[in-house]
Amino acid sequence: MAAVGAYQVQCPECGIALPVGVALRSPTREGDHLIVNLEPELTDVMAHVWTHEVDH
């Protein structure tokens, strides 16, 4: 799996911008179509959500 980019999501509770890496999974073909699968890396987002759950 190769990293191909990243984007950010903003936490609705505290406003922090959280980076989300995107990885390229093995592309497949169906007929004359190339199917590209992108998979987000959500570990940092889930860890951040957990910090808000602990506070409550």
mmCIF file of all heavy atoms in Angstrom:
data_model
loop_
_atom_site.group_PDB
_atom_site.id
_atom_site.type_symbol
_atom_site.label_atom_id
_atom_site.label_comp_id
_atom_site.label_asym_id
_atom_site.label_seq_id
_atom_site.Cartn_x
_atom_site.Cartn_y
_atom_site.Cartn_z
ATOM 1 N N MET A 1 0.855 -1.171 0.000
ATOM 2 C CA MET A 1 0.000 0.000 0.000
ATOM 3 C C MET A 1 0.902 1.236 0.000
ATOM 4 O O MET A 1 1.807 1.352 0.806
ATOM 5 C CB MET A 1 -0.881 -0.037 1.251
ATOM 6 C CG MET A 1 -2.001 0.931 1.219
ATOM 7 S SD MET A 1 -3.332 0.652 2.414
ATOM 8 C CE MET A 1 -2.550 0.226 3.931
ATOM 9 N N ALA A 2 0.657 2.147 -0.888
ATOM 10 C CA ALA A 2 1.478 3.345 -1.024
ATOM 11 C C ALA A 2 0.664 4.583 -0.675
ATOM 12 O O ALA A 2 -0.488 4.708 -1.062
ATOM 13 C CB ALA A 2 1.984 3.453 -2.456
ATOM 14 N N ALA A 3 1.283 5.475 0.095
ATOM 15 C CA ALA A 3 0.610 6.731 0.420
ATOM 16 C C ALA A 3 0.533 7.585 -0.841
ATOM 17 O O ALA A 3 1.505 7.715 -1.573
ATOM 18 C CB ALA A 3 1.363 7.473 1.515
ATOM 19 N N VAL A 4 -0.649 8.137 -1.102
ATOM 20 C CA VAL A 4 -0.825 8.956 -2.301
ATOM 21 C C VAL A 4 -1.231 10.384 -1.984
ATOM 22 O O VAL A 4 -1.316 11.210 -2.872
ATOM 23 C CB VAL A 4 -1.855 8.345 -3.277
ATOM 24 C CG1 VAL A 4 -1.334 7.045 -3.844
ATOM 25 C CG2 VAL A 4 -3.202 8.162 -2.625
ATOM 26 N N GLY A 5 -1.497 10.674 -0.743
ATOM 27 C CA GLY A 5 -1.890 12.040 -0.405
ATOM 28 C C GLY A 5 -2.502 12.116 0.968
ATOM 29 O O GLY A 5 -2.475 11.163 1.735
ATOM 30 N N ALA A 6 -3.067 13.269 1.276
ATOM 31 C CA ALA A 6 -3.685 13.482 2.573
ATOM 32 C C ALA A 6 -4.710 14.603 2.456
ATOM 33 O O ALA A 6 -4.670 15.398 1.522
ATOM 34 C CB ALA A 6 -2.635 13.848 3.616
ATOM 35 N N TYR A 7 -5.619 14.604 3.377
ATOM 36 C CA TYR A 7 -6.565 15.703 3.500
ATOM 37 C C TYR A 7 -6.793 15.938 4.978
ATOM 38 O O TYR A 7 -6.243 15.224 5.812
ATOM 39 C CB TYR A 7 -7.873 15.422 2.749
ATOM 40 C CG TYR A 7 -8.624 14.197 3.210
ATOM 41 C CD1 TYR A 7 -9.638 14.293 4.160
ATOM 42 C CD2 TYR A 7 -8.354 12.950 2.684
ATOM 43 C CE1 TYR A 7 -10.340 13.180 4.576
ATOM 44 C CE2 TYR A 7 -9.047 11.839 3.090
ATOM 45 C CZ TYR A 7 -10.045 11.956 4.037
ATOM 46 O OH TYR A 7 -10.736 10.851 4.443
ATOM 47 N N GLN A 8 -7.559 16.949 5.330
ATOM 48 C CA GLN A 8 -7.820 17.261 6.736
ATOM 49 C C GLN A 8 -9.323 17.289 6.980
ATOM 50 O O GLN A 8 -10.092 17.683 6.113
ATOM 51 C CB GLN A 8 -7.247 18.622 7.107
ATOM 52 C CG GLN A 8 -5.747 18.671 7.072
ATOM 53 C CD GLN A 8 -5.219 20.033 7.501
ATOM 54 O OE1 GLN A 8 -5.911 21.032 7.468
ATOM 55 N NE2 GLN A 8 -3.964 20.061 7.902
ATOM 56 N N VAL A 9 -9.684 16.855 8.171
ATOM 57 C CA VAL A 9 -11.056 17.003 8.633
ATOM 58 C C VAL A 9 -11.008 17.833 9.905
ATOM 59 O O VAL A 9 -10.043 17.781 10.656
ATOM 60 C CB VAL A 9 -11.749 15.646 8.896
ATOM 61 C CG1 VAL A 9 -11.945 14.871 7.611
ATOM 62 C CG2 VAL A 9 -10.980 14.826 9.902
ATOM 63 N N GLN A 10 -12.031 18.627 10.135
ATOM 64 C CA GLN A 10 -12.059 19.490 11.308
ATOM 65 C C GLN A 10 -12.939 18.862 12.372
ATOM 66 O O GLN A 10 -14.070 18.460 12.103
ATOM 67 C CB GLN A 10 -12.590 20.871 10.948
ATOM 68 C CG GLN A 10 -12.497 21.847 12.102
ATOM 69 C CD GLN A 10 -12.853 23.256 11.668
ATOM 70 O OE1 GLN A 10 -13.288 23.495 10.563
ATOM 71 N NE2 GLN A 10 -12.668 24.193 12.568
ATOM 72 N N CYS A 11 -12.429 18.786 13.590
ATOM 73 C CA CYS A 11 -13.186 18.246 14.717
ATOM 74 C C CYS A 11 -14.325 19.211 15.047
ATOM 75 O O CYS A 11 -14.085 20.395 15.284
ATOM 76 C CB CYS A 11 -12.279 18.074 15.926
ATOM 77 S SG CYS A 11 -13.171 17.522 17.411
ATOM 78 N N PRO A 12 -15.576 18.723 15.069
ATOM 79 C CA PRO A 12 -16.694 19.617 15.358
ATOM 80 C C PRO A 12 -16.748 20.081 16.811
ATOM 81 O O PRO A 12 -17.361 21.087 17.118
ATOM 82 C CB PRO A 12 -17.925 18.774 15.009
ATOM 83 C CG PRO A 12 -17.471 17.374 15.098
ATOM 84 C CD PRO A 12 -16.016 17.378 14.760
ATOM 85 N N GLU A 13 -16.076 19.348 17.718
ATOM 86 C CA GLU A 13 -16.107 19.723 19.131
ATOM 87 C C GLU A 13 -15.079 20.774 19.508
ATOM 88 O O GLU A 13 -15.360 21.662 20.302
ATOM 89 C CB GLU A 13 -15.933 18.484 20.004
ATOM 90 C CG GLU A 13 -17.143 17.571 19.964
ATOM 91 C CD GLU A 13 -17.094 16.528 21.055
ATOM 92 O OE1 GLU A 13 -16.682 16.853 22.190
ATOM 93 O OE2 GLU A 13 -17.483 15.387 20.764
ATOM 94 N N CYS A 14 -13.849 20.670 18.940
ATOM 95 C CA CYS A 14 -12.797 21.595 19.362
ATOM 96 C C CYS A 14 -12.198 22.403 18.211
ATOM 97 O O CYS A 14 -11.409 23.301 18.449
ATOM 98 C CB CYS A 14 -11.697 20.840 20.103
ATOM 99 S SG CYS A 14 -10.780 19.684 19.078
ATOM 100 N N GLY A 15 -12.522 22.062 16.970
ATOM 101 C CA GLY A 15 -12.054 22.835 15.829
ATOM 102 C C GLY A 15 -10.666 22.496 15.314
ATOM 103 O O GLY A 15 -10.196 23.105 14.370
ATOM 104 N N ILE A 16 -10.003 21.513 15.919
ATOM 105 C CA ILE A 16 -8.664 21.127 15.467
ATOM 106 C C ILE A 16 -8.760 20.448 14.106
ATOM 107 O O ILE A 16 -9.650 19.648 13.863
ATOM 108 C CB ILE A 16 -8.008 20.177 16.494
ATOM 109 C CG1 ILE A 16 -7.673 20.935 17.773
ATOM 110 C CG2 ILE A 16 -6.762 19.512 15.925
ATOM 111 C CD1 ILE A 16 -7.090 20.062 18.864
ATOM 112 N N ALA A 17 -7.827 20.777 13.204
ATOM 113 C CA ALA A 17 -7.749 20.115 11.906
ATOM 114 C C ALA A 17 -6.930 18.839 12.055
ATOM 115 O O ALA A 17 -5.784 18.876 12.488
ATOM 116 C CB ALA A 17 -7.108 21.035 10.884
ATOM 117 N N LEU A 18 -7.541 17.714 11.722
ATOM 118 C CA LEU A 18 -6.883 16.418 11.857
ATOM 119 C C LEU A 18 -6.472 15.899 10.481
ATOM 120 O O LEU A 18 -7.293 15.825 9.575
ATOM 121 C CB LEU A 18 -7.840 15.411 12.500
ATOM 122 C CG LEU A 18 -8.366 15.808 13.878
ATOM 123 C CD1 LEU A 18 -9.556 14.962 14.258
ATOM 124 C CD2 LEU A 18 -7.257 15.687 14.891
ATOM 125 N N PRO A 19 -5.191 15.521 10.325
ATOM 126 C CA PRO A 19 -4.745 15.005 9.027
ATOM 127 C C PRO A 19 -5.233 13.570 8.816
ATOM 128 O O PRO A 19 -5.268 12.766 9.749
ATOM 129 C CB PRO A 19 -3.219 15.034 9.138
ATOM 130 C CG PRO A 19 -2.956 14.900 10.596
ATOM 131 C CD PRO A 19 -4.107 15.591 11.295
ATOM 132 N N VAL A 20 -5.628 13.269 7.598
ATOM 133 C CA VAL A 20 -6.041 11.915 7.229
ATOM 134 C C VAL A 20 -5.232 11.523 5.994
ATOM 135 O O VAL A 20 -5.401 12.099 4.919
ATOM 136 C CB VAL A 20 -7.550 11.853 6.917
ATOM 137 C CG1 VAL A 20 -7.940 10.447 6.475
ATOM 138 C CG2 VAL A 20 -8.377 12.290 8.109
ATOM 139 N N GLY A 21 -4.343 10.569 6.177
ATOM 140 C CA GLY A 21 -3.573 10.076 5.040
ATOM 141 C C GLY A 21 -4.427 9.163 4.182
ATOM 142 O O GLY A 21 -5.341 8.504 4.668
ATOM 143 N N VAL A 22 -4.139 9.125 2.902
ATOM 144 C CA VAL A 22 -4.866 8.274 1.965
ATOM 145 C C VAL A 22 -3.854 7.363 1.275
ATOM 146 O O VAL A 22 -2.826 7.826 0.796
ATOM 147 C CB VAL A 22 -5.619 9.120 0.916
ATOM 148 C CG1 VAL A 22 -6.363 8.222 -0.049
ATOM 149 C CG2 VAL A 22 -6.585 10.071 1.595
ATOM 150 N N ALA A 23 -4.164 6.062 1.252
ATOM 151 C CA ALA A 23 -3.281 5.086 0.633
ATOM 152 C C ALA A 23 -3.966 4.441 -0.564
ATOM 153 O O ALA A 23 -5.181 4.283 -0.583
ATOM 154 C CB ALA A 23 -2.881 4.026 1.639
ATOM 155 N N LEU A 24 -3.168 4.087 -1.534
ATOM 156 C CA LEU A 24 -3.657 3.435 -2.748
ATOM 157 C C LEU A 24 -3.573 1.929 -2.555
ATOM 158 O O LEU A 24 -2.500 1.385 -2.299
ATOM 159 C CB LEU A 24 -2.811 3.865 -3.947
ATOM 160 C CG LEU A 24 -3.111 3.194 -5.278
ATOM 161 C CD1 LEU A 24 -4.526 3.561 -5.739
ATOM 162 C CD2 LEU A 24 -2.087 3.610 -6.314
ATOM 163 N N ARG A 25 -4.719 1.260 -2.638
ATOM 164 C CA ARG A 25 -4.758 -0.201 -2.603
ATOM 165 C C ARG A 25 -4.510 -0.717 -4.014
ATOM 166 O O ARG A 25 -4.573 0.035 -4.975
ATOM 167 C CB ARG A 25 -6.123 -0.672 -2.097
ATOM 168 C CG ARG A 25 -6.485 -0.137 -0.724
ATOM 169 C CD ARG A 25 -5.660 -0.709 0.351
ATOM 170 N NE ARG A 25 -6.147 -2.047 0.662
ATOM 171 C CZ ARG A 25 -5.586 -2.842 1.530
ATOM 172 N NH1 ARG A 25 -4.532 -2.457 2.178
ATOM 173 N NH2 ARG A 25 -6.070 -4.024 1.755
ATOM 174 N N SER A 26 -4.288 -1.968 -4.152
ATOM 175 C CA SER A 26 -4.029 -2.552 -5.475
ATOM 176 C C SER A 26 -5.194 -2.288 -6.413
ATOM 177 O O SER A 26 -6.323 -2.694 -6.139
ATOM 178 C CB SER A 26 -3.822 -4.059 -5.347
ATOM 179 O OG SER A 26 -2.719 -4.332 -4.546
ATOM 180 N N PRO A 27 -4.930 -1.596 -7.517
ATOM 181 C CA PRO A 27 -6.011 -1.344 -8.478
ATOM 182 C C PRO A 27 -6.421 -2.642 -9.176
ATOM 183 O O PRO A 27 -5.625 -3.563 -9.314
ATOM 184 C CB PRO A 27 -5.409 -0.347 -9.456
ATOM 185 C CG PRO A 27 -3.947 -0.392 -9.248
ATOM 186 C CD PRO A 27 -3.684 -0.974 -7.906
ATOM 187 N N THR A 28 -7.676 -2.694 -9.589
ATOM 188 C CA THR A 28 -8.196 -3.861 -10.301
ATOM 189 C C THR A 28 -8.815 -3.397 -11.618
ATOM 190 O O THR A 28 -9.064 -2.213 -11.812
ATOM 191 C CB THR A 28 -9.254 -4.599 -9.464
ATOM 192 O OG1 THR A 28 -10.316 -3.690 -9.146
ATOM 193 C CG2 THR A 28 -8.660 -5.136 -8.178
ATOM 194 N N ARG A 29 -9.080 -4.346 -12.486
ATOM 195 C CA ARG A 29 -9.707 -4.043 -13.769
ATOM 196 C C ARG A 29 -10.997 -4.836 -13.894
ATOM 197 O O ARG A 29 -11.072 -5.973 -13.481
ATOM 198 C CB ARG A 29 -8.795 -4.418 -14.919
ATOM 199 C CG ARG A 29 -7.577 -3.540 -15.033
ATOM 200 C CD ARG A 29 -6.831 -3.824 -16.315
ATOM 201 N NE ARG A 29 -7.491 -3.264 -17.488
ATOM 202 C CZ ARG A 29 -7.338 -2.033 -17.931
ATOM 203 N NH1 ARG A 29 -6.557 -1.205 -17.264
ATOM 204 N NH2 ARG A 29 -7.941 -1.620 -19.016
ATOM 205 N N GLU A 30 -12.003 -4.195 -14.443
ATOM 206 C CA GLU A 30 -13.243 -4.861 -14.820
ATOM 207 C C GLU A 30 -13.548 -4.434 -16.244
ATOM 208 O O GLU A 30 -13.956 -3.296 -16.478
ATOM 209 C CB GLU A 30 -14.392 -4.478 -13.890
ATOM 210 C CG GLU A 30 -14.369 -5.173 -12.554
ATOM 211 C CD GLU A 30 -15.617 -4.909 -11.734
ATOM 212 O OE1 GLU A 30 -16.643 -4.484 -12.288
ATOM 213 O OE2 GLU A 30 -15.536 -5.116 -10.515
ATOM 214 N N GLY A 31 -13.298 -5.341 -17.182
ATOM 215 C CA GLY A 31 -13.487 -4.991 -18.586
ATOM 216 C C GLY A 31 -12.523 -3.888 -18.977
ATOM 217 O O GLY A 31 -11.325 -3.997 -18.790
ATOM 218 N N ASP A 32 -13.064 -2.790 -19.499
ATOM 219 C CA ASP A 32 -12.210 -1.671 -19.894
ATOM 220 C C ASP A 32 -12.161 -0.578 -18.831
ATOM 221 O O ASP A 32 -11.778 0.542 -19.109
ATOM 222 C CB ASP A 32 -12.670 -1.092 -21.235
ATOM 223 C CG ASP A 32 -14.090 -0.550 -21.185
ATOM 224 O OD1 ASP A 32 -14.797 -0.838 -20.205
ATOM 225 O OD2 ASP A 32 -14.480 0.163 -22.121
ATOM 226 N N HIS A 33 -12.549 -0.906 -17.581
ATOM 227 C CA HIS A 33 -12.526 0.059 -16.472
ATOM 228 C C HIS A 33 -11.424 -0.294 -15.481
ATOM 229 O O HIS A 33 -11.281 -1.461 -15.104
ATOM 230 C CB HIS A 33 -13.858 0.067 -15.715
ATOM 231 C CG HIS A 33 -14.985 0.614 -16.516
ATOM 232 N ND1 HIS A 33 -15.772 -0.171 -17.314
ATOM 233 C CD2 HIS A 33 -15.438 1.880 -16.648
ATOM 234 C CE1 HIS A 33 -16.680 0.577 -17.900
ATOM 235 N NE2 HIS A 33 -16.499 1.841 -17.510
ATOM 236 N N LEU A 34 -10.659 0.691 -15.091
ATOM 237 C CA LEU A 34 -9.665 0.532 -14.035
ATOM 238 C C LEU A 34 -10.291 1.026 -12.741
ATOM 239 O O LEU A 34 -10.768 2.164 -12.667
ATOM 240 C CB LEU A 34 -8.398 1.339 -14.347
ATOM 241 C CG LEU A 34 -7.301 1.313 -13.286
ATOM 242 C CD1 LEU A 34 -6.749 -0.105 -13.125
ATOM 243 C CD2 LEU A 34 -6.191 2.273 -13.670
ATOM 244 N N ILE A 35 -10.323 0.184 -11.730
ATOM 245 C CA ILE A 35 -10.920 0.547 -10.447
ATOM 246 C C ILE A 35 -9.792 0.853 -9.470
ATOM 247 O O ILE A 35 -8.956 -0.009 -9.180
ATOM 248 C CB ILE A 35 -11.814 -0.591 -9.915
ATOM 249 C CG1 ILE A 35 -12.927 -0.868 -10.920
ATOM 250 C CG2 ILE A 35 -12.366 -0.236 -8.539
ATOM 251 C CD1 ILE A 35 -13.736 -2.093 -10.614
ATOM 252 N N VAL A 36 -9.761 2.079 -8.980
ATOM 253 C CA VAL A 36 -8.736 2.528 -8.043
ATOM 254 C C VAL A 36 -9.377 2.626 -6.658
ATOM 255 O O VAL A 36 -10.377 3.313 -6.473
ATOM 256 C CB VAL A 36 -8.163 3.899 -8.466
ATOM 257 C CG1 VAL A 36 -7.138 4.375 -7.460
ATOM 258 C CG2 VAL A 36 -7.558 3.814 -9.856
ATOM 259 N N ASN A 37 -8.804 1.921 -5.710
ATOM 260 C CA ASN A 37 -9.316 1.912 -4.345
ATOM 261 C C ASN A 37 -8.423 2.758 -3.446
ATOM 262 O O ASN A 37 -7.229 2.478 -3.318
ATOM 263 C CB ASN A 37 -9.369 0.479 -3.800
ATOM 264 C CG ASN A 37 -10.301 -0.394 -4.593
ATOM 265 O OD1 ASN A 37 -11.458 -0.052 -4.772
ATOM 266 N ND2 ASN A 37 -9.796 -1.510 -5.085
ATOM 267 N N LEU A 38 -8.995 3.789 -2.846
ATOM 268 C CA LEU A 38 -8.262 4.634 -1.905
ATOM 269 C C LEU A 38 -8.761 4.319 -0.504
ATOM 270 O O LEU A 38 -9.961 4.222 -0.270
ATOM 271 C CB LEU A 38 -8.483 6.112 -2.219
ATOM 272 C CG LEU A 38 -8.013 6.559 -3.597
ATOM 273 C CD1 LEU A 38 -8.376 8.022 -3.819
ATOM 274 C CD2 LEU A 38 -6.516 6.368 -3.736
ATOM 275 N N GLU A 39 -7.831 4.174 0.415
ATOM 276 C CA GLU A 39 -8.191 3.815 1.781
ATOM 277 C C GLU A 39 -7.671 4.884 2.747
ATOM 278 O O GLU A 39 -6.471 5.148 2.792
ATOM 279 C CB GLU A 39 -7.579 2.460 2.123
ATOM 280 C CG GLU A 39 -7.973 1.948 3.482
ATOM 281 C CD GLU A 39 -7.451 0.541 3.690
ATOM 282 O OE1 GLU A 39 -7.924 -0.368 2.988
ATOM 283 O OE2 GLU A 39 -6.562 0.379 4.544
ATOM 284 N N PRO A 40 -8.567 5.503 3.543
ATOM 285 C CA PRO A 40 -8.113 6.507 4.501
ATOM 286 C C PRO A 40 -7.450 5.860 5.712
ATOM 287 O O PRO A 40 -7.809 4.764 6.128
ATOM 288 C CB PRO A 40 -9.407 7.221 4.909
ATOM 289 C CG PRO A 40 -10.462 6.181 4.740
ATOM 290 C CD PRO A 40 -10.013 5.338 3.574
ATOM 291 N N GLU A 41 -6.491 6.540 6.281
ATOM 292 C CA GLU A 41 -5.837 6.105 7.518
ATOM 293 C C GLU A 41 -6.474 6.903 8.650
ATOM 294 O O GLU A 41 -6.220 8.099 8.805
ATOM 295 C CB GLU A 41 -4.331 6.352 7.447
ATOM 296 C CG GLU A 41 -3.591 6.108 8.737
ATOM 297 C CD GLU A 41 -3.861 4.744 9.350
ATOM 298 O OE1 GLU A 41 -3.589 3.723 8.714
ATOM 299 O OE2 GLU A 41 -4.355 4.720 10.492
ATOM 300 N N LEU A 42 -7.337 6.254 9.424
ATOM 301 C CA LEU A 42 -8.151 6.954 10.424
ATOM 302 C C LEU A 42 -7.649 6.795 11.854
ATOM 303 O O LEU A 42 -8.341 7.184 12.787
ATOM 304 C CB LEU A 42 -9.600 6.464 10.324
ATOM 305 C CG LEU A 42 -10.277 6.726 8.980
ATOM 306 C CD1 LEU A 42 -11.647 6.072 8.941
ATOM 307 C CD2 LEU A 42 -10.381 8.212 8.711
ATOM 308 N N THR A 43 -6.443 6.275 12.039
ATOM 309 C CA THR A 43 -5.933 6.048 13.392
ATOM 310 C C THR A 43 -5.889 7.338 14.210
ATOM 311 O O THR A 43 -6.357 7.367 15.351
ATOM 312 C CB THR A 43 -4.529 5.415 13.339
ATOM 313 O OG1 THR A 43 -4.600 4.221 12.567
ATOM 314 C CG2 THR A 43 -4.015 5.105 14.726
ATOM 315 N N ASP A 44 -5.350 8.419 13.664
ATOM 316 C CA ASP A 44 -5.254 9.683 14.409
ATOM 317 C C ASP A 44 -6.638 10.260 14.694
ATOM 318 O O ASP A 44 -6.871 10.823 15.767
ATOM 319 C CB ASP A 44 -4.422 10.706 13.634
ATOM 320 C CG ASP A 44 -2.957 10.320 13.554
ATOM 321 O OD1 ASP A 44 -2.495 9.527 14.399
ATOM 322 O OD2 ASP A 44 -2.275 10.818 12.643
ATOM 323 N N VAL A 45 -7.559 10.119 13.752
ATOM 324 C CA VAL A 45 -8.922 10.629 13.959
ATOM 325 C C VAL A 45 -9.594 9.864 15.091
ATOM 326 O O VAL A 45 -10.205 10.460 15.976
ATOM 327 C CB VAL A 45 -9.749 10.527 12.661
ATOM 328 C CG1 VAL A 45 -11.205 10.907 12.904
ATOM 329 C CG2 VAL A 45 -9.143 11.401 11.578
ATOM 330 N N MET A 46 -9.484 8.549 15.087
ATOM 331 C CA MET A 46 -10.114 7.742 16.140
ATOM 332 C C MET A 46 -9.482 8.039 17.508
ATOM 333 O O MET A 46 -10.180 8.094 18.516
ATOM 334 C CB MET A 46 -10.010 6.252 15.806
ATOM 335 C CG MET A 46 -10.770 5.880 14.547
ATOM 336 S SD MET A 46 -12.505 6.403 14.539
ATOM 337 C CE MET A 46 -13.160 5.431 15.848
ATOM 338 N N ALA A 47 -8.171 8.236 17.542
ATOM 339 C CA ALA A 47 -7.507 8.572 18.801
ATOM 340 C C ALA A 47 -8.002 9.923 19.315
ATOM 341 O O ALA A 47 -8.223 10.103 20.515
ATOM 342 C CB ALA A 47 -5.997 8.595 18.618
ATOM 343 N N HIS A 48 -8.217 10.883 18.413
ATOM 344 C CA HIS A 48 -8.702 12.196 18.818
ATOM 345 C C HIS A 48 -10.133 12.102 19.348
ATOM 346 O O HIS A 48 -10.462 12.711 20.365
ATOM 347 C CB HIS A 48 -8.634 13.179 17.652
ATOM 348 C CG HIS A 48 -9.079 14.557 18.022
ATOM 349 N ND1 HIS A 48 -8.268 15.428 18.709
ATOM 350 C CD2 HIS A 48 -10.265 15.195 17.837
ATOM 351 C CE1 HIS A 48 -8.931 16.551 18.921
ATOM 352 N NE2 HIS A 48 -10.147 16.438 18.404
ATOM 353 N N VAL A 49 -10.969 11.324 18.677
ATOM 354 C CA VAL A 49 -12.356 11.139 19.146
ATOM 355 C C VAL A 49 -12.345 10.542 20.534
ATOM 356 O O VAL A 49 -13.115 10.946 21.415
ATOM 357 C CB VAL A 49 -13.125 10.222 18.165
ATOM 358 C CG1 VAL A 49 -14.455 9.774 18.757
ATOM 359 C CG2 VAL A 49 -13.358 10.944 16.841
ATOM 360 N N TRP A 50 -11.458 9.601 20.776
ATOM 361 C CA TRP A 50 -11.372 8.945 22.093
ATOM 362 C C TRP A 50 -11.018 9.969 23.176
ATOM 363 O O TRP A 50 -11.542 9.874 24.291
ATOM 364 C CB TRP A 50 -10.329 7.837 22.038
ATOM 365 C CG TRP A 50 -10.237 7.062 23.305
ATOM 366 C CD1 TRP A 50 -11.092 6.102 23.746
ATOM 367 C CD2 TRP A 50 -9.224 7.195 24.311
ATOM 368 N NE1 TRP A 50 -10.683 5.629 24.953
ATOM 369 C CE2 TRP A 50 -9.544 6.281 25.336
ATOM 370 C CE3 TRP A 50 -8.097 7.990 24.461
ATOM 371 C CZ2 TRP A 50 -8.754 6.145 26.473
ATOM 372 C CZ3 TRP A 50 -7.328 7.861 25.584
ATOM 373 C CH2 TRP A 50 -7.643 6.941 26.577
ATOM 374 N N THR A 51 -10.194 10.973 22.877
ATOM 375 C CA THR A 51 -9.859 11.971 23.902
ATOM 376 C C THR A 51 -11.079 12.759 24.323
ATOM 377 O O THR A 51 -11.215 13.133 25.488
ATOM 378 C CB THR A 51 -8.752 12.945 23.423
ATOM 379 O OG1 THR A 51 -9.229 13.690 22.301
ATOM 380 C CG2 THR A 51 -7.496 12.218 23.062
ATOM 381 N N HIS A 52 -12.016 13.009 23.408
ATOM 382 C CA HIS A 52 -13.251 13.701 23.775
ATOM 383 C C HIS A 52 -14.170 12.804 24.594
ATOM 384 O O HIS A 52 -14.845 13.274 25.510
ATOM 385 C CB HIS A 52 -14.003 14.195 22.530
ATOM 386 C CG HIS A 52 -13.356 15.367 21.865
ATOM 387 N ND1 HIS A 52 -13.201 16.590 22.490
ATOM 388 C CD2 HIS A 52 -12.800 15.499 20.635
ATOM 389 C CE1 HIS A 52 -12.588 17.422 21.671
ATOM 390 N NE2 HIS A 52 -12.322 16.781 20.526
ATOM 391 N N GLU A 53 -14.203 11.497 24.292
ATOM 392 C CA GLU A 53 -15.044 10.570 25.046
ATOM 393 C C GLU A 53 -14.562 10.425 26.477
ATOM 394 O O GLU A 53 -15.353 10.282 27.388
ATOM 395 C CB GLU A 53 -15.078 9.216 24.348
ATOM 396 C CG GLU A 53 -15.851 9.242 23.038
ATOM 397 C CD GLU A 53 -15.792 7.918 22.309
ATOM 398 O OE1 GLU A 53 -15.121 6.976 22.779
ATOM 399 O OE2 GLU A 53 -16.424 7.846 21.237
ATOM 400 N N VAL A 54 -13.246 10.482 26.688
ATOM 401 C CA VAL A 54 -12.674 10.372 28.039
ATOM 402 C C VAL A 54 -13.054 11.597 28.859
ATOM 403 O O VAL A 54 -13.278 11.496 30.066
ATOM 404 C CB VAL A 54 -11.137 10.196 27.957
ATOM 405 C CG1 VAL A 54 -10.502 10.315 29.319
ATOM 406 C CG2 VAL A 54 -10.793 8.856 27.321
ATOM 407 N N ASP A 55 -13.144 12.759 28.232
ATOM 408 C CA ASP A 55 -13.454 14.006 28.949
ATOM 409 C C ASP A 55 -14.875 14.034 29.488
ATOM 410 O O ASP A 55 -15.180 14.789 30.406
ATOM 411 C CB ASP A 55 -13.234 15.212 28.047
ATOM 412 C CG ASP A 55 -11.748 15.444 27.753
ATOM 413 O OD1 ASP A 55 -10.917 14.935 28.504
ATOM 414 O OD2 ASP A 55 -11.449 16.142 26.757
ATOM 415 N N HIS A 56 -15.770 13.242 28.908
ATOM 416 C CA HIS A 56 -17.183 13.317 29.299
ATOM 417 C C HIS A 56 -17.528 12.317 30.350
ATOM 418 O O HIS A 56 -17.256 11.306 30.555
ATOM 419 C CB HIS A 56 -18.098 13.108 28.083
ATOM 420 C CG HIS A 56 -17.957 14.221 27.097
ATOM 421 N ND1 HIS A 56 -18.595 15.407 27.230
ATOM 422 C CD2 HIS A 56 -17.215 14.325 25.972
ATOM 423 C CE1 HIS A 56 -18.280 16.189 26.222
ATOM 424 N NE2 HIS A 56 -17.426 15.547 25.436
#
